[in-house]
Amino acid sequence: MITVVFTVGGLLALWCGVNWAFDVRGITTRRAERIRRRNEELWAASGRLGGSPTLFATPGYLRFLGSLMAGAGLVLLVAAYALWRLG
């Protein structure tokens, strides 16, 4: 049962990570724009102008997270294979 969970989790993390890392269909840029817009609205509601200076609203940061997520997916798949081979 744990092998199935690791395999499904690894495949899901690998798929999502590759989509974020390579910006498939503009996923990363759209998400970064939504984060930036939401932060600007929150800052404007509190009376601050100019938007928030945040690293988390950049496509580069989200691509970096995608590459980490893809790596974690590969680690989970290798662990699932090792568990399967060990029985």
Side-chain angles (χ1 to χ4, degrees):
M1 183 65 184
I2 193 75
T3 307
V4 174
V5 172
F6 275 23
T7 303
V8 170
L11 288 174
L12 184 65
L14 183 64
W15 181 72
C16 290
V18 167
N19 282 335
W20 279 24
F22 293 109
D23 199 15
V24 177
R25 291 177 288 163
I27 291 171
T28 305
T29 53
R30 283 194 316 253
R31 183 164 174 79
E33 180 62 27
R34 279 196 310 265
I35 292 170
R36 189 191 58 75
R37 196 173 325 126
R38 185 182 64 220
N39 286 343
E40 281 183 358
E41 290 172 0
L42 287 173
W43 277 52
S46 65
R48 294 175 276 190
L49 299 176
S52 65
T54 180
L55 170 70
F56 306 115
T58 61
Y61 178 75
L62 293 176
R63 286 182 174 189
F64 173 71
L65 285 181
S67 64
L68 289 179
M69 193 182 318
L74 286 175
V75 168
L76 280 174
L77 287 174
V78 168
Y81 179 74
L83 288 173
W84 176 69
R85 291 295 290 173
L86 291 174

Coordinates of all heavy atoms in Angstrom, one line a residue:
M1 N 0.8 -1.2 0.0 CA 0.0 0.0 0.0 C 0.9 1.3 0.0 O 0.6 2.2 -0.7 CB -0.9 0.0 1.2 CG -1.9 1.1 1.3 SD -3.0 1.0 -0.1 CE -3.9 2.5 0.1
I2 N 1.9 1.3 0.8 CA 2.8 2.4 0.8 C 3.5 2.6 -0.5 O 3.8 3.8 -0.9 CB 3.8 2.3 2.0 CG1 4.5 3.7 2.3 CG2 4.9 1.3 1.7 CD1 3.6 4.7 3.0
T3 N 3.8 1.6 -1.2 CA 4.4 1.7 -2.5 C 3.5 2.4 -3.5 O 3.9 3.2 -4.3 CB 4.7 0.3 -3.1 OG1 5.5 -0.4 -2.1 CG2 5.5 0.3 -4.4
V4 N 2.2 2.1 -3.4 CA 1.2 2.8 -4.3 C 1.2 4.3 -4.0 O 1.1 5.1 -4.9 CB -0.2 2.1 -4.2 CG1 -1.2 2.9 -4.9 CG2 -0.1 0.7 -4.6
V5 N 1.1 4.6 -2.7 CA 1.1 6.0 -2.3 C 2.3 6.7 -2.7 O 2.3 7.9 -3.3 CB 0.9 6.1 -0.7 CG1 1.1 7.5 -0.3 CG2 -0.4 5.5 -0.3
F6 N 3.5 6.1 -2.6 CA 4.7 6.8 -3.0 C 4.8 6.9 -4.6 O 5.2 8.0 -5.1 CB 6.0 5.9 -2.6 CG 6.4 6.2 -1.2 CD1 5.6 6.8 -0.3 CD2 7.8 5.9 -0.9 CE1 6.1 7.1 1.0 CE2 8.2 6.2 0.4 CZ 7.4 6.8 1.3
T7 N 4.3 5.9 -5.3 CA 4.2 6.0 -6.7 C 3.3 7.1 -7.2 O 3.7 7.9 -8.1 CB 3.8 4.7 -7.3 OG1 4.7 3.7 -6.9 CG2 3.8 4.7 -8.8
V8 N 2.1 7.1 -6.7 CA 1.1 8.2 -7.1 C 1.6 9.6 -6.7 O 1.6 10.5 -7.5 CB -0.3 7.9 -6.5 CG1 -1.2 9.0 -6.7 CG2 -0.8 6.6 -7.1
G9 N 2.1 9.7 -5.5 CA 2.7 11.0 -5.0 C 3.9 11.4 -5.9 O 4.0 12.6 -6.2
G10 N 4.7 10.5 -6.2 CA 5.9 10.8 -7.0 C 5.5 11.2 -8.4 O 6.1 12.2 -9.0
L11 N 4.6 10.5 -9.0 CA 4.1 10.9 -10.4 C 3.4 12.3 -10.4 O 3.6 13.1 -11.3 CB 3.1 9.8 -10.9 CG 3.8 8.5 -11.3 CD1 2.7 7.5 -11.7 CD2 4.8 8.7 -12.5
L12 N 2.6 12.5 -9.3 CA 1.9 13.8 -9.2 C 2.9 14.9 -9.0 O 2.8 16.0 -9.7 CB 0.9 13.8 -8.1 CG 0.0 15.0 -7.9 CD1 -0.9 15.2 -9.2 CD2 -0.8 14.9 -6.7
A13 N 3.9 14.7 -8.1 CA 4.9 15.8 -7.9 C 5.8 16.0 -9.1 O 6.1 17.1 -9.4 CB 5.8 15.4 -6.7
L14 N 6.1 14.9 -9.8 CA 6.9 15.1 -11.0 C 6.2 15.8 -12.1 O 6.7 16.7 -12.7 CB 7.3 13.7 -11.5 CG 8.2 13.6 -12.7 CD1 9.6 14.3 -12.4 CD2 8.4 12.2 -13.2
W15 N 4.9 15.5 -12.3 CA 4.1 16.1 -13.3 C 3.9 17.6 -13.0 O 4.1 18.5 -13.9 CB 2.7 15.4 -13.4 CG 1.8 16.0 -14.5 CD1 2.0 15.9 -15.8 CD2 0.7 16.8 -14.2 NE1 1.0 16.6 -16.4 CE2 0.2 17.1 -15.5 CE3 0.0 17.2 -13.1 CZ2 -1.0 17.9 -15.6 CZ3 -1.1 18.0 -13.2 CH2 -1.6 18.3 -14.5
C16 N 3.5 17.9 -11.8 CA 3.3 19.3 -11.4 C 4.6 20.1 -11.5 O 4.7 21.3 -11.9 CB 2.7 19.4 -10.0 SG 1.0 18.9 -9.9
G17 N 5.7 19.5 -11.0 CA 7.0 20.2 -11.0 C 7.5 20.5 -12.4 O 8.0 21.6 -12.6
V18 N 7.3 19.5 -13.3 CA 7.8 19.8 -14.7 C 6.9 20.9 -15.3 O 7.5 21.8 -16.0 CB 7.7 18.5 -15.5 CG1 7.9 18.7 -17.0 CG2 8.8 17.5 -15.0
N19 N 5.6 20.9 -15.0 CA 4.8 21.9 -15.6 C 5.2 23.3 -15.0 O 5.2 24.3 -15.8 CB 3.3 21.7 -15.2 CG 2.7 20.6 -16.1 OD1 3.1 20.4 -17.2 ND2 1.7 20.0 -15.6
W20 N 5.5 23.4 -13.8 CA 5.9 24.7 -13.2 C 7.3 25.1 -13.7 O 7.6 26.2 -14.0 CB 5.9 24.6 -11.7 CG 4.6 24.8 -11.0 CD1 3.4 24.6 -11.6 CD2 4.4 25.2 -9.7 NE1 2.4 24.8 -10.7 CE2 3.0 25.2 -9.5 CE3 5.2 25.5 -8.6 CZ2 2.4 25.6 -8.3 CZ3 4.6 25.9 -7.4 CH2 3.2 25.9 -7.3
A21 N 8.2 24.1 -13.7 CA 9.6 24.4 -14.0 C 9.8 24.9 -15.5 O 10.6 25.8 -15.8 CB 10.5 23.2 -13.8
F22 N 9.0 24.3 -16.4 CA 9.1 24.6 -17.8 C 8.0 25.5 -18.3 O 7.9 25.8 -19.5 CB 9.2 23.3 -18.7 CG 10.4 22.5 -18.4 CD1 10.4 21.3 -17.8 CD2 11.7 23.0 -18.9 CE1 11.5 20.6 -17.5 CE2 12.8 22.3 -18.6 CZ 12.8 21.1 -18.0
D23 N 7.2 26.0 -17.4 CA 6.1 27.0 -17.7 C 5.2 26.5 -18.8 O 5.0 27.2 -19.7 CB 6.8 28.3 -18.0 CG 5.7 29.5 -17.8 OD1 4.7 29.3 -17.2 OD2 6.0 30.6 -18.4
V24 N 4.8 25.3 -18.7 CA 3.9 24.7 -19.7 C 2.6 25.5 -19.7 O 1.9 25.7 -18.6 CB 3.7 23.2 -19.4 CG1 2.7 22.6 -20.3 CG2 5.0 22.5 -19.4
R25 N 2.2 25.9 -20.8 CA 0.9 26.7 -21.0 C 0.8 27.9 -20.2 O -0.2 28.4 -19.9 CB -0.3 25.8 -20.8 CG -0.5 24.7 -21.8 CD -1.6 23.8 -21.5 NE -1.3 23.0 -20.4 CZ -2.1 22.4 -19.6 NH1 -3.4 22.4 -19.9 NH2 -1.7 21.6 -18.6
G26 N 2.0 28.5 -19.8 CA 2.0 29.7 -19.0 C 1.5 29.6 -17.6 O 1.1 30.6 -17.0
I27 N 1.5 28.5 -17.0 CA 1.1 28.2 -15.7 C 1.8 29.1 -14.7 O 1.2 29.8 -13.8 CB 1.2 26.7 -15.3 CG1 0.2 25.9 -16.1 CG2 1.0 26.5 -13.8 CD1 0.4 24.4 -15.9
T28 N 3.1 29.1 -14.8 CA 3.9 29.9 -13.8 C 3.7 31.4 -13.9 O 3.6 32.0 -12.9 CB 5.4 29.5 -14.0 OG1 5.6 28.1 -14.0 CG2 6.3 30.1 -13.0
T29 N 3.7 31.9 -15.1 CA 3.5 33.3 -15.3 C 2.2 33.8 -14.8 O 2.0 34.8 -14.2 CB 3.8 33.7 -16.7 OG1 3.0 33.0 -17.6 CG2 5.2 33.6 -17.1
R30 N 1.1 33.0 -15.1 CA -0.2 33.4 -14.6 C -0.3 33.3 -13.1 O -0.9 34.2 -12.5 CB -1.3 32.4 -15.2 CG -1.6 32.7 -16.7 CD -2.9 32.0 -17.1 NE -2.9 30.6 -16.6 CZ -2.7 29.6 -17.4 NH1 -2.5 29.7 -18.7 NH2 -2.8 28.3 -16.9
R31 N 0.3 32.3 -12.5 CA 0.3 32.2 -11.1 C 1.0 33.4 -10.4 O 0.6 33.9 -9.4 CB 0.8 30.9 -10.6 CG 0.8 30.7 -9.1 CD 1.0 29.2 -8.8 NE 1.1 29.0 -7.4 CZ 0.1 28.9 -6.6 NH1 -1.1 29.1 -7.0 NH2 0.2 28.7 -5.3
A32 N 2.2 33.7 -11.0 CA 3.0 34.8 -10.4 C 2.2 36.1 -10.5 O 2.2 36.9 -9.6 CB 4.3 34.9 -11.2
E33 N 1.5 36.3 -11.6 CA 0.7 37.5 -11.8 C -0.4 37.6 -10.8 O -0.7 38.6 -10.2 CB 0.2 37.6 -13.2 CG -0.7 38.8 -13.5 CD 0.1 40.1 -13.4 OE1 1.3 40.1 -13.5 OE2 -0.5 41.1 -13.0
R34 N -1.1 36.5 -10.5 CA -2.2 36.4 -9.5 C -1.6 36.7 -8.1 O -2.2 37.5 -7.4 CB -2.8 35.1 -9.5 CG -3.9 34.9 -10.6 CD -4.8 33.7 -10.3 NE -4.1 32.5 -10.0 CZ -3.7 31.5 -10.9 NH1 -4.0 31.7 -12.2 NH2 -3.1 30.4 -10.6
I35 N -0.5 36.2 -7.8 CA 0.1 36.4 -6.5 C 0.5 37.9 -6.4 O 0.2 38.6 -5.3 CB 1.4 35.6 -6.3 CG1 1.0 34.1 -6.1 CG2 2.2 36.0 -5.0 CD1 2.2 33.1 -6.2
R36 N 1.1 38.5 -7.4 CA 1.5 39.9 -7.4 C 0.3 40.8 -7.3 O 0.2 41.7 -6.5 CB 2.3 40.3 -8.6 CG 2.9 41.6 -8.6 CD 3.4 42.1 -9.9 NE 2.4 42.1 -11.0 CZ 1.5 43.0 -11.1 NH1 1.4 44.0 -10.2 NH2 0.6 43.0 -12.1
R37 N -0.8 40.5 -8.0 CA -2.0 41.3 -8.0 C -2.7 41.2 -6.6 O -3.1 42.2 -6.0 CB -3.0 40.8 -9.0 CG -4.1 41.8 -9.3 CD -4.9 41.4 -10.5 NE -4.2 40.8 -11.6 CZ -4.5 39.6 -12.1 NH1 -5.6 38.9 -11.6 NH2 -3.8 39.0 -13.0
R38 N -2.7 40.0 -6.0 CA -3.3 39.8 -4.7 C -2.5 40.6 -3.6 O -3.1 41.3 -2.8 CB -3.4 38.4 -4.3 CG -4.1 38.1 -3.0 CD -4.2 36.7 -2.6 NE -2.8 36.2 -2.4 CZ -2.3 35.1 -2.8 NH1 -3.1 34.2 -3.4 NH2 -1.1 34.7 -2.5
N39 N -1.2 40.6 -3.7 CA -0.4 41.3 -2.8 C -0.6 42.8 -2.9 O -0.6 43.5 -1.9 CB 1.1 40.9 -2.9 CG 1.4 39.6 -2.4 OD1 0.7 39.0 -1.6 ND2 2.6 39.1 -2.8
E40 N -0.7 43.3 -4.1 CA -0.9 44.7 -4.3 C -2.3 45.1 -3.8 O -2.4 46.2 -3.1 CB -0.9 45.1 -5.8 CG 0.5 45.2 -6.4 CD 0.5 45.6 -7.8 OE1 -0.6 45.8 -8.4 OE2 1.6 45.8 -8.4
E41 N -3.3 44.3 -3.9 CA -4.6 44.6 -3.3 C -4.6 44.6 -1.8 O -5.2 45.5 -1.2 CB -5.6 43.6 -3.8 CG -6.0 43.8 -5.3 CD -6.9 42.7 -5.8 OE1 -7.2 41.8 -5.0 OE2 -7.2 42.7 -7.0
L42 N -3.8 43.7 -1.2 CA -3.7 43.7 0.2 C -3.0 44.9 0.7 O -3.4 45.5 1.7 CB -3.0 42.4 0.7 CG -3.8 41.1 0.6 CD1 -2.9 39.9 0.9 CD2 -5.0 41.1 1.5
W43 N -1.9 45.3 0.0 CA -1.1 46.5 0.5 C -2.0 47.7 0.3 O -1.9 48.6 1.1 CB 0.2 46.5 -0.3 CG 1.2 45.7 0.3 CD1 1.2 44.4 0.6 CD2 2.5 46.1 0.7 NE1 2.3 43.9 1.1 CE2 3.2 45.0 1.2 CE3 3.2 47.3 0.6 CZ2 4.5 45.1 1.6 CZ3 4.5 47.4 1.0 CH2 5.1 46.3 1.6
A44 N -2.7 47.8 -0.8 CA -3.5 49.0 -1.1 C -4.6 49.1 0.0 O -5.0 50.2 0.4 CB -4.1 49.0 -2.5
A45 N -5.2 48.0 0.4 CA -6.3 48.0 1.4 C -5.7 48.5 2.8 O -6.5 49.1 3.5 CB -6.8 46.6 1.6
S46 N -4.4 48.3 3.0 CA -3.9 48.7 4.3 C -3.3 50.1 4.2 O -2.7 50.6 5.1 CB -2.8 47.7 4.8 OG -1.7 47.7 3.9
G47 N -3.4 50.8 3.0 CA -3.0 52.2 2.9 C -1.6 52.3 2.3 O -1.1 53.4 2.2
R48 N -0.9 51.3 2.0 CA 0.4 51.3 1.4 C 0.4 51.3 -0.1 O -0.4 50.6 -0.7 CB 1.3 50.2 1.9 CG 1.6 50.3 3.4 CD 2.3 49.1 3.9 NE 1.4 48.0 4.1 CZ 1.7 46.9 4.8 NH1 2.9 46.7 5.1 NH2 0.7 46.0 5.0
L49 N 1.2 52.1 -0.8 CA 1.1 52.2 -2.2 C 2.3 51.5 -2.8 O 3.4 51.4 -2.2 CB 1.1 53.7 -2.7 CG -0.1 54.5 -2.2 CD1 0.0 55.9 -2.6 CD2 -1.4 53.9 -2.7
G50 N 2.2 51.1 -4.1 CA 3.4 50.6 -4.8 C 3.5 49.1 -4.8 O 4.3 48.5 -5.5
G51 N 2.6 48.4 -4.1 CA 2.7 46.9 -4.1 C 3.8 46.4 -3.2 O 4.6 47.1 -2.7
S52 N 3.7 45.1 -2.9 CA 4.6 44.5 -2.0 C 5.9 44.1 -2.7 O 5.8 43.5 -3.7 CB 4.0 43.3 -1.3 OG 3.7 42.3 -2.3
P53 N 7.0 44.4 -2.1 CA 8.3 43.9 -2.7 C 8.5 42.4 -2.3 O 9.1 42.2 -1.2 CB 9.3 44.8 -2.1 CG 8.8 45.2 -0.8 CD 7.3 45.2 -1.0
T54 N 8.0 41.5 -3.0 CA 8.1 40.1 -2.6 C 8.8 39.3 -3.7 O 8.7 39.5 -4.9 CB 6.8 39.5 -2.3 OG1 6.9 38.2 -1.9 CG2 5.8 39.6 -3.4
L55 N 9.6 38.3 -3.2 CA 10.3 37.4 -4.1 C 9.4 36.3 -4.6 O 9.5 35.8 -5.7 CB 11.5 36.8 -3.3 CG 12.2 35.6 -4.0 CD1 13.0 36.1 -5.2 CD2 13.1 34.9 -3.0
F56 N 8.3 36.1 -3.8 CA 7.5 34.9 -4.1 C 6.5 35.2 -5.3 O 5.9 34.3 -5.7 CB 6.6 34.6 -2.9 CG 7.5 34.3 -1.7 CD1 7.4 35.2 -0.6 CD2 8.4 33.3 -1.7 CE1 8.2 34.9 0.5 CE2 9.2 33.1 -0.6 CZ 9.1 33.9 0.5
A57 N 6.5 36.4 -5.8 CA 5.6 36.7 -6.9 C 6.4 36.7 -8.3 O 5.9 37.3 -9.2 CB 4.9 38.0 -6.7
T58 N 7.5 36.1 -8.3 CA 8.3 36.1 -9.6 C 8.2 34.8 -10.2 O 8.2 33.7 -9.5 CB 9.8 36.5 -9.3 OG1 10.3 35.5 -8.4 CG2 9.9 37.8 -8.7
P59 N 8.1 34.7 -11.5 CA 8.1 33.4 -12.2 C 9.4 32.6 -12.0 O 9.3 31.4 -11.9 CB 8.0 33.8 -13.7 CG 7.4 35.2 -13.7 CD 7.9 35.8 -12.5
G60 N 10.5 33.3 -11.8 CA 11.8 32.5 -11.6 C 11.7 31.7 -10.3 O 12.2 30.6 -10.2
Y61 N 11.1 32.3 -9.2 CA 11.0 31.6 -7.9 C 10.1 30.4 -8.1 O 10.4 29.3 -7.6 CB 10.5 32.6 -6.9 CG 10.3 31.9 -5.5 CD1 11.4 31.6 -4.7 CD2 9.0 31.6 -5.1 CE1 11.2 31.0 -3.5 CE2 8.8 31.0 -3.9 CZ 9.9 30.7 -3.1 OH 9.7 30.0 -1.9
L62 N 9.0 30.6 -8.8 CA 8.0 29.5 -9.0 C 8.6 28.4 -9.9 O 8.4 27.2 -9.7 CB 6.7 30.0 -9.6 CG 5.9 30.9 -8.7 CD1 4.7 31.4 -9.4 CD2 5.5 30.2 -7.4
R63 N 9.5 28.8 -10.8 CA 10.2 27.8 -11.6 C 11.2 27.0 -10.8 O 11.3 25.8 -10.9 CB 10.9 28.4 -12.8 CG 9.9 28.8 -13.9 CD 10.7 29.4 -15.0 NE 9.7 29.7 -16.1 CZ 10.1 30.1 -17.3 NH1 11.4 30.2 -17.6 NH2 9.2 30.3 -18.2
F64 N 11.8 27.7 -9.9 CA 12.8 27.0 -8.9 C 12.0 26.0 -8.1 O 12.4 24.9 -7.9 CB 13.5 28.1 -8.1 CG 14.3 27.5 -7.0 CD1 15.5 26.8 -7.3 CD2 13.9 27.6 -5.7 CE1 16.2 26.3 -6.3 CE2 14.7 27.1 -4.6 CZ 15.8 26.4 -4.9
L65 N 10.8 26.4 -7.5 CA 10.0 25.5 -6.8 C 9.6 24.3 -7.6 O 9.5 23.2 -7.1 CB 8.8 26.2 -6.2 CG 9.0 27.2 -5.0 CD1 7.7 27.8 -4.6 CD2 9.7 26.4 -3.9
G66 N 9.2 24.6 -8.8 CA 8.9 23.5 -9.7 C 10.0 22.5 -9.9 O 9.8 21.3 -9.9
S67 N 11.2 23.0 -10.0 CA 12.3 22.0 -10.2 C 12.6 21.2 -8.9 O 12.9 20.1 -9.0 CB 13.6 22.8 -10.6 OG 14.0 23.7 -9.6
L68 N 12.4 21.9 -7.8 CA 12.5 21.1 -6.5 C 11.4 20.1 -6.4 O 11.6 19.0 -5.9 CB 12.4 22.1 -5.3 CG 13.6 23.0 -5.1 CD1 13.4 23.9 -3.9 CD2 14.9 22.2 -4.9
M69 N 10.2 20.5 -6.8 CA 9.1 19.5 -6.7 C 9.3 18.3 -7.7 O 9.0 17.2 -7.3 CB 7.8 20.2 -7.1 CG 6.5 19.5 -6.8 SD 5.0 20.3 -7.3 CE 5.2 22.0 -6.8
A70 N 9.8 18.6 -8.9 CA 10.1 17.5 -9.8 C 11.2 16.6 -9.2 O 11.1 15.4 -9.4 CB 10.6 18.1 -11.2
G71 N 12.2 17.2 -8.6 CA 13.2 16.4 -7.9 C 12.7 15.5 -6.8 O 13.0 14.3 -6.7
A72 N 11.8 16.1 -6.0 CA 11.1 15.3 -5.0 C 10.3 14.2 -5.5 O 10.2 13.1 -5.0 CB 10.3 16.2 -4.1
G73 N 9.6 14.4 -6.7 CA 8.9 13.4 -7.3 C 9.8 12.2 -7.8 O 9.4 11.0 -7.6
L74 N 10.9 12.6 -8.3 CA 11.9 11.5 -8.7 C 12.3 10.7 -7.5 O 12.5 9.5 -7.6 CB 13.1 12.1 -9.4 CG 12.8 12.6 -10.9 CD1 14.0 13.3 -11.4 CD2 12.4 11.4 -11.7
V75 N 12.6 11.4 -6.4 CA 13.0 10.7 -5.2 C 11.9 9.7 -4.7 O 12.2 8.6 -4.3 CB 13.4 11.7 -4.1 CG1 13.6 11.0 -2.7 CG2 14.7 12.4 -4.5
L76 N 10.7 10.2 -4.7 CA 9.6 9.3 -4.3 C 9.4 8.1 -5.3 O 9.2 7.0 -4.8 CB 8.3 10.1 -4.3 CG 8.0 11.0 -3.1 CD1 6.8 11.8 -3.3 CD2 7.9 10.1 -1.8
L77 N 9.6 8.3 -6.6 CA 9.5 7.2 -7.5 C 10.7 6.2 -7.3 O 10.4 5.0 -7.3 CB 9.6 7.7 -8.9 CG 8.3 8.4 -9.4 CD1 8.4 9.0 -10.8 CD2 7.1 7.4 -9.4
V78 N 11.9 6.7 -7.0 CA 13.0 5.8 -6.7 C 12.7 5.0 -5.4 O 13.0 3.8 -5.3 CB 14.3 6.6 -6.6 CG1 15.4 5.7 -6.1 CG2 14.7 7.1 -8.0
A79 N 12.2 5.7 -4.4 CA 11.9 5.0 -3.1 C 10.8 4.0 -3.3 O 10.9 2.9 -2.8 CB 11.4 6.1 -2.1
A80 N 9.8 4.3 -4.2 CA 8.7 3.3 -4.4 C 9.3 2.1 -5.2 O 8.9 1.0 -4.8 CB 7.6 4.0 -5.3
Y81 N 10.2 2.3 -6.1 CA 10.8 1.2 -6.8 C 11.7 0.4 -5.9 O 11.6 -0.9 -5.9 CB 11.7 1.7 -8.0 CG 12.4 0.6 -8.7 CD1 11.7 -0.2 -9.6 CD2 13.7 0.4 -8.5 CE1 12.3 -1.2 -10.2 CE2 14.4 -0.6 -9.2 CZ 13.7 -1.4 -10.1 OH 14.3 -2.4 -10.7
A82 N 12.4 1.0 -5.0 CA 13.2 0.3 -4.0 C 12.4 -0.5 -3.1 O 12.7 -1.7 -2.8 CB 14.1 1.2 -3.2
L83 N 11.3 0.0 -2.6 CA 10.4 -0.7 -1.7 C 9.7 -1.9 -2.5 O 9.5 -3.0 -1.9 CB 9.3 0.2 -1.2 CG 9.7 1.2 -0.1 CD1 8.6 2.2 0.2 CD2 10.2 0.5 1.1
W84 N 9.4 -1.7 -3.7 CA 8.8 -2.8 -4.5 C 9.8 -3.9 -4.7 O 9.4 -5.1 -4.6 CB 8.3 -2.2 -5.9 CG 7.8 -3.2 -6.8 CD1 6.6 -3.9 -6.6 CD2 8.4 -3.7 -8.0 NE1 6.5 -4.8 -7.7 CE2 7.5 -4.6 -8.5 CE3 9.5 -3.3 -8.7 CZ2 7.8 -5.3 -9.7 CZ3 9.8 -3.9 -9.9 CH2 9.0 -4.9 -10.4
R85 N 11.0 -3.6 -5.0 CA 12.1 -4.6 -5.2 C 12.4 -5.3 -3.9 O 12.7 -6.5 -4.0 CB 13.3 -4.0 -5.8 CG 13.2 -3.5 -7.2 CD 12.9 -4.5 -8.2 NE 14.1 -5.4 -8.3 CZ 14.2 -6.5 -9.0 NH1 13.1 -6.9 -9.6 NH2 15.3 -7.2 -9.1
L86 N 12.3 -4.6 -2.8 CA 12.6 -5.3 -1.5 C 11.5 -6.2 -1.1 O 11.7 -7.0 -0.2 CB 12.9 -4.3 -0.4 CG 14.2 -3.5 -0.6 CD1 14.3 -2.4 0.4 CD2 15.4 -4.4 -0.5
G87 N 10.3 -6.0 -1.6 CA 9.2 -6.8 -1.3 C 8.4 -6.3 -0.2 O 7.8 -6.7 0.6

